[in-house]
């Protein structure tokens, strides 16, 4: 829908005069003379073909038409002012673009995000999720959180969190698992890291069991399938603490393995900006790492 030309100066003059019901105070607010303000109001009246004010000995009174017009303009100017304030506030904040493994975002970062925002109101954090395969340079990210051993080429890697991996399943399935050998009779859901189940079998002292089950590229999808009773998933327990506490998932055996850590990664070729450094230091300060034994 096309818009007719809007006499914005005249509309501002009318809105201020209607709000104050006094031309002198309206003129002072807009930093114009009373004569200039009156001229703008007369111009608006001529454009609309209506009378907006009745002059009184002290101040002005709104006409019926002005009573209908004023709240619409008042709300519109308030919304414009709010939008400009938001734009100005965003422009003054430092943007940090962070890619992160979806499991880490949902299971660890989101519950703590309000704490980061409270500690760093000047940082505008832009989050995107990935499945541990990401290219910082091509995707225009300042940093990425990924899972592994911190040996990615060309990256500066800072460990920020670790977790124990262990089998989990739905409550409806757990009665079928009395000993670890019982896993051989059930679907074992897998990630694209093919060594996970063999390493757990080794830790549990089991030989001859082959993992057979659907393959997922996301631990979140693995957890959802396990919770639905589709099989047993080998998951990072720290990232699914809420599901375990609330009973959607159950850990049948107290046998866990270490498969890696979550790392804050940056390009070595790119200087670390101050807001990125603040994010890194905040993540390190959360004490999510198991102390290394001397």
């Amino acid at each position: 829908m096309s818009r007719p030309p809007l006499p914005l100066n005249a509309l501002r003059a009318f809105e201020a005069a209607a709000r104050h019901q006094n031309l002198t105070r309206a003129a002072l607010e807009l930093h114009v003379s009373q004569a200039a303000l009156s001229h703008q109001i007369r111009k608006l009246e001529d454009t609309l073909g209506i009378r907006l004010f009745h002059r009184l000995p002290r101040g002005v009174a709104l006409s019926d038409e002005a009573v209908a017009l004023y709240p619409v303009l008042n709300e519109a100017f308030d919304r414009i002012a709010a939008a400009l304030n938001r734009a100005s506030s965003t422009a003054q904040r430092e943007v940090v673009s962070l890619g992160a493994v979806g499991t880490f975002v949902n299971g660890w970062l989101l519950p703590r995000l309000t704490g980061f925002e409270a500690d760093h109101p000047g940082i505008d954090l832009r989050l995107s999720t990935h499945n541990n395969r990401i290219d910082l340079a091509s995707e225009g990210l300042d940093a990425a959180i990924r899972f592994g051993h911190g040996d990615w080429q060309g990256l500066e890697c800072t460990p920020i969190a670790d977790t124990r991996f262990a089998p989990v399943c739905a409550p409806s399935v757990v009665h079928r698992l009395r000993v670890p050998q019982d896993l051989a009779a059930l679907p074992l859901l897998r990630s694209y890291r093919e060594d996970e189940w063999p390493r757990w079998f080794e830790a549990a002292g089991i030989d001859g069991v082959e993992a057979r089950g659907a393959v997922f590229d996301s631990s979140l999808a693995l957890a959802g399938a396990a919770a639905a009773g589709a099989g047993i998933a080998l998951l990072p327990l720290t990232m699914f603490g809420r599901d375990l506490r609330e009973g959607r998932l159950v850990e049948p055996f107290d046998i866990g393995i270490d498969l890696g850590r979550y790392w804050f990664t940056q390009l070595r070729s790119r200087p670390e900006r101050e807001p990125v450094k603040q994010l890194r230091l905040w993540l390190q300060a959360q004490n999510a790492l198991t102390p290394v034994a001397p």
Side-chain angles (χ1 to χ4, degrees), residues 99-148:
V101 182
T103 307
F104 182 87
V105 171
N106 283 270
W108 193 94
L109 184 57
L110 289 184
R112 296 167 172 82
L113 198 56
T114 54
F116 173 77
E117 292 172 343
D119 292 342
H120 300 86
I123 296 179
D124 184 13
L125 186 60
R126 308 286 175 86
L127 273 172
S128 61
T129 59
H130 60 84
N131 63 352
N132 217 42
R133 298 173 181 177
I134 193 167
D135 187 325
L136 284 170
S138 66
E139 298 187 35
L141 296 171
D142 292 301
I145 294 172
R146 65 189 81 195
F147 183 82

Coordinates of all heavy atoms in Angstrom, one line a residue, residues 99-148:
G99 N 29.8 -19.9 17.1 CA 29.2 -21.2 16.8 C 29.5 -22.2 17.9 O 30.5 -22.2 18.5
A100 N 28.5 -23.1 18.1 CA 28.7 -24.0 19.2 C 27.9 -25.3 18.9 O 26.9 -25.3 18.3 CB 28.2 -23.4 20.5
V101 N 28.5 -26.4 19.4 CA 27.8 -27.7 19.3 C 26.5 -27.6 20.0 O 26.3 -27.1 21.1 CB 28.7 -28.8 20.0 CG1 28.0 -30.1 19.9 CG2 30.1 -28.8 19.4
G102 N 25.4 -28.1 19.3 CA 24.1 -27.9 19.8 C 23.9 -28.6 21.2 O 23.2 -28.0 22.0
T103 N 24.6 -29.7 21.4 CA 24.5 -30.3 22.7 C 25.0 -29.4 23.8 O 24.4 -29.3 24.9 CB 25.4 -31.6 22.7 OG1 25.0 -32.4 21.6 CG2 25.2 -32.4 24.0
F104 N 26.1 -28.7 23.6 CA 26.6 -27.8 24.6 C 25.7 -26.6 24.8 O 25.5 -26.2 25.9 CB 28.0 -27.3 24.1 CG 28.7 -26.4 25.1 CD1 29.5 -26.9 26.1 CD2 28.6 -25.1 25.0 CE1 30.1 -26.1 27.0 CE2 29.2 -24.2 25.9 CZ 30.0 -24.7 26.9
V105 N 25.2 -26.1 23.7 CA 24.3 -24.9 23.8 C 23.1 -25.3 24.7 O 22.7 -24.6 25.6 CB 23.8 -24.4 22.4 CG1 22.7 -23.4 22.6 CG2 25.0 -23.9 21.7
N106 N 22.4 -26.4 24.4 CA 21.2 -26.8 25.1 C 21.4 -27.3 26.5 O 20.7 -26.9 27.4 CB 20.4 -27.8 24.3 CG 19.7 -27.2 23.1 OD1 18.5 -26.8 23.2 ND2 20.3 -27.2 22.0
G107 N 22.5 -28.0 26.7 CA 22.7 -28.7 28.0 C 23.5 -27.9 28.9 O 23.4 -28.1 30.1
W108 N 24.3 -26.9 28.4 CA 25.2 -26.2 29.3 C 25.1 -24.7 29.2 O 25.0 -24.0 30.3 CB 26.6 -26.6 29.1 CG 27.6 -26.2 30.1 CD1 28.1 -27.0 31.2 CD2 28.3 -25.0 30.2 NE1 29.0 -26.2 31.9 CE2 29.1 -25.0 31.3 CE3 28.3 -23.8 29.4 CZ2 29.9 -23.9 31.7 CZ3 29.1 -22.7 29.8 CH2 29.9 -22.8 31.0
L109 N 25.1 -24.2 28.0 CA 25.2 -22.7 27.9 C 23.9 -22.0 28.2 O 23.9 -21.0 28.9 CB 25.7 -22.4 26.5 CG 25.9 -20.9 26.2 CD1 26.9 -20.3 27.1 CD2 26.4 -20.7 24.7
L110 N 22.8 -22.5 27.6 CA 21.5 -21.8 27.8 C 21.1 -21.5 29.3 O 20.7 -20.4 29.6 CB 20.4 -22.5 27.1 CG 20.4 -22.5 25.6 CD1 19.2 -23.2 25.0 CD2 20.5 -21.0 25.0
P111 N 21.3 -22.5 30.2 CA 21.0 -22.3 31.6 C 21.8 -21.2 32.2 O 21.5 -20.6 33.3 CB 21.2 -23.6 32.3 CG 21.1 -24.6 31.2 CD 21.6 -24.0 30.0
R112 N 23.0 -20.9 31.6 CA 23.9 -19.9 32.2 C 23.9 -18.6 31.4 O 24.7 -17.7 31.8 CB 25.3 -20.5 32.2 CG 25.5 -21.7 33.1 CD 26.8 -22.4 32.9 NE 27.1 -23.4 33.8 CZ 26.6 -24.7 33.8 NH1 25.8 -25.0 32.8 NH2 26.8 -25.6 34.7
L113 N 23.1 -18.5 30.3 CA 23.2 -17.4 29.4 C 22.9 -16.1 30.1 O 23.5 -15.0 29.8 CB 22.4 -17.6 28.2 CG 22.7 -16.7 27.0 CD1 24.1 -16.9 26.6 CD2 21.8 -17.2 25.8
T114 N 21.8 -16.1 31.0 CA 21.5 -14.8 31.6 C 22.6 -14.3 32.5 O 22.7 -13.1 32.7 CB 20.2 -15.1 32.5 OG1 20.4 -16.2 33.4 CG2 19.0 -15.4 31.6
G115 N 23.4 -15.2 33.1 CA 24.5 -14.8 33.9 C 25.6 -14.1 33.1 O 26.1 -13.1 33.5
F116 N 25.8 -14.6 31.9 CA 26.8 -14.0 31.0 C 26.3 -12.6 30.6 O 27.0 -11.6 30.6 CB 27.0 -14.8 29.7 CG 27.9 -14.1 28.7 CD1 29.3 -14.0 28.9 CD2 27.3 -13.5 27.6 CE1 30.1 -13.4 28.0 CE2 28.1 -12.8 26.7 CZ 29.5 -12.8 26.9
E117 N 25.0 -12.5 30.2 CA 24.4 -11.2 29.8 C 24.5 -10.2 30.9 O 24.7 -9.0 30.7 CB 23.0 -11.4 29.3 CG 23.0 -12.2 28.0 CD 21.6 -12.5 27.5 OE1 20.7 -12.5 28.4 OE2 21.4 -12.9 26.4
A118 N 24.2 -10.6 32.2 CA 24.3 -9.7 33.3 C 25.7 -9.3 33.6 O 25.9 -8.1 33.9 CB 23.7 -10.4 34.6
D119 N 26.7 -10.1 33.4 CA 28.1 -9.8 33.6 C 28.7 -9.0 32.5 O 29.6 -8.2 32.7 CB 29.0 -11.0 33.8 CG 28.6 -11.8 35.1 OD1 28.0 -11.2 36.0 OD2 29.0 -13.0 35.2
H120 N 28.1 -9.1 31.3 CA 28.7 -8.4 30.1 C 27.6 -7.8 29.3 O 27.3 -8.2 28.2 CB 29.5 -9.4 29.2 CG 30.6 -10.1 30.0 ND1 30.5 -11.2 30.7 CD2 31.9 -9.7 30.1 CE1 31.6 -11.6 31.2 NE2 32.5 -10.7 30.9
P121 N 27.0 -6.7 29.8 CA 25.9 -6.1 29.1 C 26.3 -5.4 27.8 O 25.5 -5.1 26.9 CB 25.3 -5.0 30.1 CG 26.5 -4.8 31.0 CD 27.2 -6.1 31.1
G122 N 27.6 -5.2 27.6 CA 28.1 -4.5 26.4 C 28.4 -5.5 25.3 O 28.8 -5.0 24.2
I123 N 28.2 -6.8 25.5 CA 28.4 -7.8 24.4 C 27.1 -8.3 23.9 O 26.3 -8.8 24.6 CB 29.3 -8.9 25.0 CG1 30.7 -8.4 25.4 CG2 29.5 -10.0 23.9 CD1 31.6 -9.4 25.9
D124 N 27.0 -8.2 22.6 CA 25.8 -8.8 21.9 C 26.2 -10.1 21.3 O 26.8 -10.2 20.3 CB 25.4 -7.8 20.8 CG 24.1 -8.3 20.1 OD1 23.4 -9.2 20.6 OD2 23.8 -7.7 19.0
L125 N 25.8 -11.2 22.0 CA 26.3 -12.6 21.6 C 25.3 -13.1 20.6 O 24.1 -13.2 20.8 CB 26.3 -13.5 22.8 CG 26.8 -14.9 22.6 CD1 28.3 -14.8 22.2 CD2 26.7 -15.7 23.9
R126 N 25.9 -13.5 19.4 CA 25.1 -14.1 18.3 C 25.5 -15.6 18.2 O 26.6 -15.9 17.9 CB 25.4 -13.4 17.0 CG 25.3 -11.9 17.0 CD 23.8 -11.4 17.1 NE 23.7 -10.0 17.2 CZ 23.7 -9.1 16.2 NH1 23.9 -9.5 15.0 NH2 23.6 -7.8 16.4
L127 N 24.5 -16.4 18.5 CA 24.8 -17.9 18.6 C 24.3 -18.6 17.4 O 23.2 -18.3 16.9 CB 24.1 -18.5 19.8 CG 24.8 -18.5 21.2 CD1 23.9 -18.9 22.3 CD2 26.0 -19.3 21.1
S128 N 25.0 -19.6 16.9 CA 24.6 -20.5 15.9 C 25.1 -21.9 16.3 O 26.1 -22.0 16.9 CB 25.1 -20.1 14.5 OG 26.5 -20.2 14.5
T129 N 24.3 -22.9 15.9 CA 24.7 -24.3 16.4 C 25.2 -25.1 15.2 O 24.9 -24.8 14.0 CB 23.5 -25.0 17.0 OG1 22.4 -25.1 16.0 CG2 23.0 -24.3 18.2
H130 N 26.0 -26.1 15.5 CA 26.6 -26.9 14.4 C 26.8 -28.3 15.0 O 26.6 -28.5 16.2 CB 27.9 -26.4 13.9 CG 29.0 -26.2 15.0 ND1 29.8 -27.3 15.4 CD2 29.3 -25.2 15.8 CE1 30.6 -26.9 16.4 NE2 30.4 -25.6 16.6
N131 N 27.2 -29.3 14.2 CA 27.3 -30.7 14.7 C 28.8 -31.0 14.8 O 29.2 -32.2 14.5 CB 26.6 -31.6 13.7 CG 27.2 -31.6 12.3 OD1 28.0 -30.8 12.0 ND2 26.7 -32.5 11.5
N132 N 29.6 -30.1 15.2 CA 31.0 -30.3 15.5 C 31.9 -30.1 14.2 O 33.1 -30.3 14.3 CB 31.3 -31.6 16.1 CG 32.4 -31.5 17.2 OD1 32.5 -30.6 17.9 ND2 33.4 -32.5 17.2
R133 N 31.3 -29.8 13.1 CA 32.0 -29.6 11.9 C 31.7 -28.2 11.4 O 30.6 -27.9 11.0 CB 31.6 -30.6 10.8 CG 31.9 -32.1 11.2 CD 31.4 -33.1 10.2 NE 31.7 -34.4 10.7 CZ 31.3 -35.5 10.1 NH1 30.6 -35.4 9.0 NH2 31.6 -36.7 10.5
I134 N 32.7 -27.3 11.4 CA 32.5 -25.9 11.2 C 33.8 -25.3 10.7 O 34.9 -25.7 11.0 CB 32.0 -25.2 12.5 CG1 31.5 -23.9 12.2 CG2 33.1 -25.2 13.5 CD1 30.7 -23.3 13.4
D135 N 33.6 -24.2 9.9 CA 34.7 -23.5 9.3 C 34.6 -22.1 9.8 O 33.7 -21.3 9.3 CB 34.7 -23.6 7.8 CG 36.0 -23.0 7.2 OD1 36.5 -22.0 7.7 OD2 36.4 -23.5 6.1
L136 N 35.4 -21.7 10.7 CA 35.3 -20.3 11.3 C 35.5 -19.2 10.2 O 34.7 -18.2 10.2 CB 36.4 -20.1 12.4 CG 36.2 -20.8 13.7 CD1 37.5 -20.7 14.5 CD2 35.0 -20.2 14.4
A137 N 36.4 -19.4 9.3 CA 36.7 -18.3 8.4 C 35.5 -18.2 7.4 O 35.0 -17.0 7.2 CB 38.0 -18.6 7.6
S138 N 35.1 -19.3 6.8 CA 34.1 -19.2 5.8 C 32.7 -18.8 6.3 O 31.9 -18.2 5.6 CB 34.0 -20.5 5.0 OG 33.5 -21.5 5.8
E139 N 32.5 -19.1 7.6 CA 31.2 -18.8 8.2 C 31.2 -17.5 9.0 O 30.2 -17.1 9.6 CB 30.7 -19.9 9.1 CG 30.5 -21.2 8.4 CD 29.9 -22.3 9.2 OE1 29.1 -22.0 10.1 OE2 30.3 -23.5 9.0
G140 N 32.3 -16.8 9.0 CA 32.4 -15.4 9.6 C 32.2 -15.4 11.1 O 31.6 -14.5 11.6
L141 N 32.6 -16.4 11.7 CA 32.5 -16.5 13.2 C 33.7 -16.1 13.9 O 34.8 -16.2 13.5 CB 32.2 -18.0 13.6 CG 30.9 -18.6 13.1 CD1 30.8 -20.1 13.4 CD2 29.6 -17.9 13.7
D142 N 33.5 -15.5 15.1 CA 34.6 -15.1 15.9 C 35.3 -16.3 16.6 O 36.5 -16.3 16.8 CB 34.2 -14.1 17.0 CG 33.8 -12.7 16.4 OD1 34.7 -12.1 15.7 OD2 32.6 -12.3 16.6
A143 N 34.4 -17.2 17.0 CA 34.9 -18.4 17.7 C 33.9 -19.5 17.6 O 32.8 -19.3 17.2 CB 35.2 -18.0 19.2
A144 N 34.3 -20.7 18.0 CA 33.4 -21.8 18.0 C 33.7 -22.8 19.1 O 34.9 -22.9 19.5 CB 33.5 -22.6 16.7
I145 N 32.7 -23.3 19.7 CA 32.8 -24.3 20.7 C 32.6 -25.7 20.1 O 31.5 -25.9 19.5 CB 31.8 -24.1 21.9 CG1 32.2 -22.8 22.6 CG2 31.9 -25.3 22.9 CD1 31.2 -22.4 23.6
R146 N 33.5 -26.6 20.2 CA 33.4 -27.9 19.6 C 34.0 -29.0 20.6 O 34.6 -28.6 21.5 CB 34.1 -28.0 18.2 CG 35.6 -27.8 18.3 CD 36.2 -27.6 16.9 NE 36.0 -26.3 16.4 CZ 36.2 -25.9 15.2 NH1 36.4 -26.8 14.3 NH2 36.1 -24.7 14.8
F147 N 33.6 -30.2 20.3 CA 34.0 -31.3 21.1 C 35.2 -32.1 20.5 O 35.2 -32.4 19.3 CB 32.8 -32.3 21.4 CG 33.1 -33.4 22.3 CD1 33.1 -33.2 23.7 CD2 33.5 -34.6 21.9 CE1 33.4 -34.2 24.6 CE2 33.8 -35.7 22.7 CZ 33.8 -35.4 24.1
G148 N 36.1 -32.5 21.3 CA 37.2 -33.3 20.8 C 38.4 -33.3 21.7 O 38.3 -33.2 22.9

